[in-house]
């Protein structure tokens, strides 16, 4: 018998999948690997202008196999034989239409190149109109099925995407038997599922994105869905009633996947969940400590006593019993763009590299590519260093961070970003500083909303690429929030959390809390608020709120002028909140 057992955590992000192999006894990392989605990397099936972001299921399958085999090739045969569990997290809501066997339609003849038959990535906003319709419809019904979802449905979520597809593509809709989330499909795939009715659905995905709640026996009833749109008649019966927490097993590895990965069939595969919720556990989140997953977007996760579920917080992404840790209430919020905001500005200032440099025929193609890559790699670090030397507020520039719409507080994907206070002295570092401050002010609005709903936030645990790589952003965040921030030492906190859940599902630990206590990685950095900067940022936050009101008003006037469709927003904090 081997001395130790091991688990694999799989973290499916927006661009790639990461695999992490850890020792269950102490969380020690033995190997890790990253595999990018090949079709997604080329921009296939996406149309950013239309906010269409689709991913082919074969991207997931190919990257999964590549990634897991890479980590297993890095360890001994003895270690490989002692792997007992696989845990899975994905982005979300990222659903796909499937047939009765649970196969995504894009994997069937006739639909291989149809974006509507693929996974709708979390940031696909093609269902904005449908989300607004769901909001208006729910407001007229009792019970209000948005009660536990923050009161506002988002275009990033399950039903908006389902309804959009039903109206967009009759051929795909006719071939659709059911819909599944990415986090549900991967465990089902690995365990060899052949009947979608047997798929174990994630409590996390169902509760936060699909309006599932025990008080109305699962999903909203068929008559409600049929009244929303007759095309939805009967779909509820082909979805699910029961949901499962992530410490439970979805099954064991199928013979096919055991062979493909080089593992044995006794490996337990845990029920899946969303990356933010899994990552919060991987980073060691506790009650009153907000876990911030800081990457292309942010997801903010708070756990609290499940007995206060009826203490509702408007405008967040739901509060679900067991969505993070079994037995505790999980509250979710976040920003639709965070790292994406910085990446947009990087692309903007590097436009000459992509265009003018291409015409520099006096340089060889190799030299052009080398120079371009060197400049791209240096841009954000240089901007950060220059912006850090500027006073708070730069030269008077102020921005709003809604460049990809607003997730919370109060979802509205029609909103857009803005920069004000520009003058002839507004150079790239000053504008970049305004964008960094805006992204942190957006985070403060979330903290204030949670507190106003009765949920204290006394500290922050941070994870993700921005948290690991940008001390400048993290110090601004600590000062804006006036909260200490601890950054997890785990470079792959989501994958580590997935491994913890896998180990629990396999029976290595009796609870996820006990697994986390042993397997967590500790913290690599702590950012403490500076009293003087806290006061200065509070003044900046008021300017941010003023510009945010103007942007909302501009958006509503534009909608009224062009299509007569407005959405009521409640983002503006009360005077007490905005002090």
């Amino acid at each position: 018998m081997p001395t130790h057992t091991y688990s694999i955590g799989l973290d499916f992000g927006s661009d790639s999948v990461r695999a992490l192999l850890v020792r269950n006894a102490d969380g020690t990392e033995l190997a890790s690997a990253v595999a990018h989605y090949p079709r997604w990397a080329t921009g296939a099936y996406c149309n950013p202008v239309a906010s269409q972001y689709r991913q082919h299921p074969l991207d997931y399958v190919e990257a999964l196999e590549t990634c897991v085999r890479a980590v297993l090739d890095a360890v001994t045969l003895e270690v490989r034989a002692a792997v007992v569990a696989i845990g899975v997290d994905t982005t979300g809501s990222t659903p796909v239409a499937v047939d009765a066997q649970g196969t995504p339609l894009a994997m069937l003849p006739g639909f291989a190149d149809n974006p509507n038959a693929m996974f709708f990535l979390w940031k696909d906003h093609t269902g904005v109109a449908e989300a607004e319709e769901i909001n208006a419809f729910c407001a007229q019904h009792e019970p209000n099925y948005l009660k536990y979802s923050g009161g506002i449905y988002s275009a990033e979520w399950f039903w908006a995407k389902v309804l959009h597809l039903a109206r967009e593509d009759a051929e795909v809709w006719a071939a659709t038997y059911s819909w599944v989330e990415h986090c549900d499909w991967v465990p089902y795939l690995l365990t060899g599922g052949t009947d979608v009715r047997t798929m174990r659905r994630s409590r996390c995905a169902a509760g936060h994105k699909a309006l599932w709640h025990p008080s109305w026996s699962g999903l909203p009833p068929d008559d409600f869905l049929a009244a929303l749109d007759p095309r939805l008649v009967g779909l509820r019966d082909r979805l699910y009633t029961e949901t499962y927490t992530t410490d439970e097993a979805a099954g064991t590895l199928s013979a096919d996947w055991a062979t493909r990965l080089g593992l044995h069939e006794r490996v337990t595969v845990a029920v899946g969940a969303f990356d933010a919720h899994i990552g919060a556990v991987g980073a060691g989140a506790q009650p009153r400590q907000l876990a911030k997953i800081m990457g292309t977007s942010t997801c903010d996760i708070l756990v609290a006593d499940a007995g206060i579920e009826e203490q509702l917080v408007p405008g967040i992404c739901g509060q679900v019993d067991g969505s993070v840790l079994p037995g505790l209430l999980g509250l979710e919020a976040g920003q639709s763009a965070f790292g994406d905001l910085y990446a947009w500005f990087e692309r903007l200032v590097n436009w000459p590299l992509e265009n003018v440099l291409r015409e520099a025929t006096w340089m060889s193609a190799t030299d052009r590519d080398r120079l371009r890559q060197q400049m791209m790699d240096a841009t954000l670090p240089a901007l950060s260093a220059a912006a850090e030397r500027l006073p708070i507020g730069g030269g008077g520039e102020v921005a709003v961070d809604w460049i990809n719409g607003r997730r919370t507080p109060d979802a509205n994907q029609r909103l857009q970003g803005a920069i004000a206070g520009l003058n002839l002295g507004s150079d790239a570092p000053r504008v970049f500083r305004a964008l960094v401050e805006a992204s942190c002010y957006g985070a403060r609005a979330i903290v204030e909303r949670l507190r106003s709903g009765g949920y204290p936030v006394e500290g922050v645990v941070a994870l993700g690429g921005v948290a690991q790589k940008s001390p400048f952003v993290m110090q601004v965040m600590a000062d804006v929030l006036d909260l200490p921030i601890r950054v997890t030492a785990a470079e792959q906190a989501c994958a580590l959390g997935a491994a913890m859940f896998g180990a629990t599902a396999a029976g290595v630990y009796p609870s996820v809390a006990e697994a986390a206590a042993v397997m967590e990685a500790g913290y690599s950095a702590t950012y403490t608020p500076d009293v003087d900067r806290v006061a200065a940022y509070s003044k900046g936050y008021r300017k941010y709120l003023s510009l945010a009101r103007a942007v909302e008003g501009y958006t509503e006037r534009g909608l009224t002028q062009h299509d007569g469709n407005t959405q009521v927003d409640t983002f503006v904090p009360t005077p007490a909140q905005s002090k």
Side-chain angles (χ1 to χ4, degrees), residues 97-99 105 111 165-166 169-178 238:
V98 300
D99 66 7
L105 297 187
F111 295 111
L165 184 278
D169 194 322
E171 184 180 8
V172 171
W173 186 254
T176 299
Y177 179 82
S178 188
R238 305 194 302 274

Side-chain angles (χ1 to χ4, degrees), residues 301-326:
I301 303 295
L302 189 67
V303 292
D305 182 358
I308 56 174
E309 184 181 21
E310 295 301 322
Q311 191 170 298
L312 300 174
V313 183
I316 66 170
C317 302
Q319 42 202 91
V320 180
D321 184 6
S323 66
V324 182
L325 287 167

Side-chain angles (χ1 to χ4, degrees), residues 3-316:
T3 304
H4 292 289
T5 62
Y6 305 87
S7 294
I8 295 173
L10 294 177
D11 171 33
F12 287 82
S14 296
D15 302 319
S16 61
V17 60
R18 306 159 189 84
L20 182 70
L21 177 63
V22 300
R23 187 165 59 206
N24 290 327
D26 53 14
T28 298
E29 175 184 328
L30 276 74
S32 65
V34 177
H36 288 82
Y37 308 138
R39 296 161 189 80
W40 171 262
T42 68
Y45 313 117
C46 297
N47 180 3
V49 174
S51 293
Q52 174 182 302
Y53 296 96
R54 310 291 166 80
Q55 292 185 326
H56 202 291
L58 289 178
D59 268 2
Y60 300 148
V61 174
E62 293 166 7
L64 159 64
E65 186 169 357
T66 298
C67 210
V68 174
R69 291 194 69 89
V71 297
L72 292 175
D73 287 344
V75 298
T76 65
L77 291 177
E78 181 183 18
V79 169
R80 182 183 299 213
V83 172
V84 297
I86 295 176
V88 177
D89 73 71
T90 74
T91 65
S93 180
T94 302
V96 69
V98 300
D99 66 7
Q101 286 72 49
T103 303
L105 297 187
M107 298 178 73
L108 301 177
F111 295 111
D113 292 312
N114 187 334
N116 291 325
M118 300 174 190
F119 284 88
F120 284 53
L121 187 63
W122 63 269
K123 67 178 181 179
D124 187 295
H125 292 166
T126 52
V128 168
E130 285 77 12
E132 292 172 347
E133 184 177 340
I134 291 169
N135 283 317
F137 191 72
C138 285
Q140 300 169 5
H141 286 76
E142 187 63 38
N144 185 336
Y145 293 108
L146 297 177
K147 178 179 179 180
Y148 299 102
S149 300
I152 300 176
Y153 206 75
S154 169
E156 296 183 350
W157 299 354
F158 182 84
W159 287 110
K161 294 173 177 179
V162 170
L163 187 54
H164 179 76
L165 184 278
R167 296 169 174 176
E168 174 79 8
D169 194 322
E171 184 180 8
V172 171
W173 186 254
T176 299
Y177 179 82
S178 188
W179 281 77
V180 303
E181 285 281 359
H182 185 196
C183 67
D184 293 333
W185 182 68
V186 174
Y188 180 80
L189 174 75
L190 291 174
T191 56
T194 58
D195 182 348
V196 71
R197 294 171 298 180
T198 67
M199 182 183 293
R200 288 199 154 194
R201 308 291 191 131
S202 163
R203 171 79 56 82
C204 174
H208 283 287
K209 313 300 182 185
L211 304 179
W212 181 92
H213 197 270
S215 65
W216 42 76
S217 302
L219 297 170
D222 192 64
D223 58 354
F224 171 85
L225 297 173
L228 178 62
D229 192 298
R231 297 174 183 85
L232 301 180
V233 171
L235 178 59
R236 185 186 191 274
D237 292 337
R238 305 194 302 274
L239 290 168
Y240 53 89
T241 299
E242 297 299 322
T243 63
Y244 300 85
T245 53
T246 315
D247 59 330
E248 298 181 84
T252 55
L253 206 58
S254 70
D256 175 51
W257 275 99
T259 300
R260 292 171 70 167
L261 300 178
L263 293 169
H264 54 78
E265 295 178 49
R266 299 184 303 279
V267 172
T268 296
V269 180
V271 170
F274 290 151
D275 47 8
H277 303 70
I278 295 287
V281 176
Q286 300 290 330
R288 297 175 180 253
Q289 298 292 309
L290 184 69
K292 289 189 69 67
I293 296 83
M294 304 168 70
T296 55
S297 67
T298 73
C299 278
D300 296 354
I301 303 295
L302 189 67
V303 292
D305 182 358
I308 56 174
E309 184 181 21
E310 295 301 322
Q311 191 170 298
L312 300 174
V313 183
I316 66 170

Side-chain angles (χ1 to χ4, degrees), residues 546-559:
S546 179
L547 180 58
R549 295 184 188 99
V551 170
E552 282 193 304
Y554 173 83
T555 301
E556 291 180 357
R557 288 193 298 274
L559 290 174

Side-chain angles (χ1 to χ4, degrees), residues 394-412:
E397 299 84 2
V398 60
V400 171
D401 55 310
W402 302 330
I403 196 167
N404 193 32
R406 186 179 64 211
R407 180 178 294 161
T408 54
D410 309 310
N412 186 346

